[in-house]
Amino acid sequence: MSTTTLSTVSQHAPLRLVVAGSVDDGKSTLVGRLLHDSKSILADQYDAVESASRSRGATEFDLALLTDGLRAEREQGITIDVAYRYFKTDRRSFILADTPGHVQYTRNTVTGASTADAAVVLVDVRNGASAQTRRHSALLSLLRVRHVVFAVNKMDAVDWSQDRFEQLQAELHEIARGVGLGDVVAVPVSALTGEGVVRAAPDWYLGRPLLALLEELDTELEDTAEPFRMPVQLVIRPRTAQYPDYRGLAGRVASGRVQVGDVVHASPSGTASTVIAIDTPTGPAEVAVAGQSVTIRLAEELDIARGEVLTTDDPIAVTRVLDAVVTWMGDAPSAARQRVLVKAGTKTVRAMLGPVTDIWDVSELRWTPSSAPLQLNDIGRCTVQLAEDVAIDEYRRLRGTGAFVVVDPATGATLAACMSGADLGALVP
């Protein structure tokens, strides 16, 4: 039976990518270009889009129609929801979130970016950096997205002017410094023609095309270098003749790595034991890393259930009070002392919202003291009182186990996407 190793796991980990930008900067066309040129389109999809392009009077294949799946989007020519797409190349697979460009859909951008390893921000070279460029840059910094690529689009419309690109590139780097973004690069592209996206850009640009750049982002090593975290999703006890004593803790490794022989702690219960085996869909393994779904067996039969979080030597916080940054998604405004459910990892508990203390001004890019209820698309700070202990990290430190959602207990609708820790945005002036 084969044994999975760290290297064989890491090379297949997908890149979680969010694409943002202002309306008409070319997001959907860029995503369509990536899907088309990576040959990730089924034949019937291609035929349907080709037919739709002709019916709209277009003389060429409209790449944007590959992602504008909603009727309202097609009618208005905009993207109003987060459209997730999966595609792969010979070197990497991608989970791509295409987010809307309008200010009123800021919550969708936050949703798409909250789990992203990297972001592509579209900028129309003719218009330069817009208010949305600054807003999205600040949000990506707020949400701790590790890698940001500014795709300077529609370069064919300015005859691939090197002077114009370098002027805009300097401005984008200045914006990135201003909002605290770290790893930033600008790439000249034309989503319409494909130059600079998959194919090489003009000779004066010495960097790699956009897709090659994304293929080489080294996020796996960063994930595995973080502290080990695995929320327990299921306790497996088959109790069959073949496996009479089998007891395993199944879940997805959110961050870090664990190996046979490690001592793991379960939180909030506070119990601990030694890993004696790691089972994967392809057989037993000596090590498991971030992104893998595995079953861990321990030396002792501890009372560990769904909702606990396994760690190694770096402890996770256990609390009943969360100070959080909240993106409100409910149609009705929030209310102090509103009774809700909180889903953190694999655990769901009853909870109550505290008063709002600040609201994020997406135009001025700063926190403003306010106790007003959160309206749809608002980003604010508030506390959440939990009915039970929950194991959770601060989002700024570990994104995988630092986020949670607020749910309406009556309807099951998601009311808010939240990040634990109220100091997010401290780098933004």
Side-chain angles (χ1 to χ4, degrees):
M1 189 171 288
S2 65
T3 297
T4 305
T5 65
L6 176 62
S7 60
T8 57
V9 170
S10 296
Q11 67 185 0
H12 297 299
L15 181 77
R16 292 161 295 186
L17 176 69
V18 61
V19 179
S22 188
V23 177
D24 295 332
D25 279 353
K27 294 186 305 301
S28 295
T29 302
L30 177 69
V31 174
R33 173 62 62 187
L34 290 170
L35 296 175
H36 180 270
D37 289 10
S38 62
K39 298 179 173 51
S40 301
I41 306 170
L42 299 176
D44 59 342
Q45 285 180 293
Y46 186 93
D47 293 342
V49 171
E50 190 174 46
S51 175
S53 300
R54 284 197 301 270
S55 67
R56 291 161 61 101
T59 57
E60 297 181 353
F61 189 86
D62 190 344
L63 291 166
L65 294 181
L66 285 169
T67 57
D68 288 346
L70 299 177
R71 179 182 297 274
E73 292 176 356
R74 291 193 179 193
E75 291 175 348
Q76 299 179 50
I78 61 171
T79 303
I80 59 175
D81 202 350
V82 180
Y84 288 93
R85 294 291 185 275
Y86 173 85
F87 72 99
K88 63 184 299 183
T89 66
D90 291 339
R91 302 177 62 188
R92 182 167 231 173
S93 59
F94 297 85
I95 300 172
L96 186 151
D98 179 17
T99 64
H102 287 73
V103 175
Q104 61 266 41
Y105 301 121
T106 298
R107 62 172 178 167
N108 306 64
T109 304
V110 172
T111 300
S114 62
T115 58
D117 300 308
V120 174
V121 180
L122 270 288
V123 182
D124 188 328
V125 68
R126 300 169 301 177
N127 302 326
S130 64
Q132 276 294 69
T133 306
R134 293 176 172 80
R135 184 175 293 112
H136 287 153
S137 298
L139 287 173
L140 295 173
S141 177
L142 180 74
L143 294 165
R144 299 298 193 263
V145 178
R146 293 166 176 157
H147 308 283
V148 176
V149 179
F150 289 107
V152 180
N153 194 23
K154 305 185 183 181
M155 286 294 298
D156 55 309
V158 295
D159 295 327
W160 290 88
S161 167
Q162 182 177 359
D163 288 344
R164 176 57 185 148
F165 172 76
E166 291 178 347
Q167 178 190 31
L168 186 50
Q169 178 180 236
E171 184 180 355
L172 293 171
H173 278 287
E174 185 63 29
I175 292 171
R177 279 192 294 272
V179 299
L181 284 174
D183 184 13
V184 168
V185 64
V187 180
V189 303
S190 170
L192 186 63
T193 67
E195 292 171 280
V197 181
V198 178
R199 293 186 282 128
D203 293 340
W204 54 258
Y205 177 68
L206 302 179
R208 294 179 292 278
L210 177 63
L211 184 59
L213 188 67
L214 297 175
E215 288 175 326
E216 295 170 4
L217 289 180
D218 200 5
T219 57
E220 294 92 345
L221 292 178
E222 295 166 354
D223 287 340
T224 56
E226 292 178 335
F228 170 67
R229 299 286 188 267
M230 191 187 93
V232 175
Q233 188 169 19
L234 180 68
V235 179
I236 298 178
R237 302 182 67 182
R239 293 180 175 174
T240 62
Q242 187 177 5
Y243 301 102
D245 301 319
Y246 188 98
R247 188 175 191 278
L249 306 174
R252 180 180 179 275
V253 180
S255 62
R257 64 195 297 272
V258 65
Q259 63 184 32
V260 174
D262 283 350
V263 174
V264 295
H265 305 264
S267 297
S269 66
T271 55
S273 184
T274 303
V275 177
I276 59 170
I278 299 173
D279 297 323
T280 77
T282 56
E286 287 295 314
V287 60
V289 300
Q292 268 193 289
S293 293
V294 298
T295 300
I296 291 177
R297 284 185 279 156
L298 303 178
E300 288 86 19
E301 284 201 12
L302 303 178
D303 183 18
I304 299 174
R306 174 183 169 87
E308 301 250 354
V309 179
L310 301 184
T311 66
T312 47
D313 54 353
D314 192 305
I316 187 171
V318 175
T319 182
R320 290 194 179 193
V321 180
L322 297 173
D323 292 318
V325 173
V326 174
T327 303
W328 194 253
M329 299 179 170
D331 293 327
S334 69
R337 304 185 65 79
Q338 182 174 351
R339 297 189 181 280
V340 296
L341 295 176
V342 162
K343 296 182 69 174
T346 56
K347 186 161 188 171
T348 302
V349 301
R350 291 180 292 110
M352 185 169 65
L353 297 182
V356 176
T357 59
D358 304 271
I359 289 183
W360 176 261
D361 188 323
V362 295
S363 298
E364 298 296 327
L365 307 182
R366 59 182 173 82
W367 290 107
T368 302
S370 172
S371 58
L374 296 173
Q375 307 289 335
L376 178 65
N377 291 308
D378 276 354
I379 300 173
R381 286 171 168 153
C382 76
T383 58
V384 183
Q385 185 76 43
L386 308 173
E388 302 174 32
D389 286 341
V390 165
I392 193 166
D393 285 293
E394 289 203 340
Y395 182 87
R396 65 182 175 83
R397 181 167 180 259
L398 288 175
R399 300 170 75 213
T401 44
F404 64 95
V405 295
V406 171
V407 176
D408 186 332
T411 66
T414 299
L415 297 176
C418 312
M419 291 141 282
S420 176
D423 62 339
L424 291 178
L427 293 176
V428 182

